[in-house]
Amino acid sequence: MAYSNLPPIPRFWQKVRKTDGCWEWTASVRSGYGMFWLGDRTVPAHRFAYELLVGPIPEGLQLDHLCGNRDCVNPDHLEPVTNQEHARRG
């Protein structure tokens, strides 16, 4: 199967390099965050990974990278927090 014809999930995993800790996004980055092409739009790669492996991000929350690495898509390194908490953490 040609790369461009792969379904989204296998195509996503082709762009991830797993290490002992962080799972590094190896493709497109915008404003410091990995971006994944999903049909007719791009989505943050860490959000795609979290929703794929954990579930929906609760309404009104955003994901904080506990590891400090914005290229990381490991859901164990992501925590849903309020905008205020995310800003407080810096």
Side-chain angles (χ1 to χ4, degrees), residues 55-88:
I57 300 165
E59 186 74 30
L61 300 183
Q62 57 184 282
L63 295 177
D64 184 26
H65 285 84
L66 300 174
C67 58
N69 178 1
R70 294 190 296 178
D71 284 341
C72 180
V73 298
N74 183 342
D76 290 339
H77 293 191
L78 302 170
E79 179 182 17
V81 297
T82 64
N83 291 342
Q84 184 178 27
E85 178 63 17
H86 193 253
R88 186 187 70 74

Side-chain angles (χ1 to χ4, degrees), residues 3 9 19-20 28 40 42 48 57 59-60 63 76 79 84:
Y3 172 79
I9 294 172
T19 64
D20 290 338
S28 177
D40 60 349
T42 56
F48 182 85
I57 300 165
E59 186 74 30
L63 295 177
D76 290 339
E79 179 182 17
Q84 184 178 27

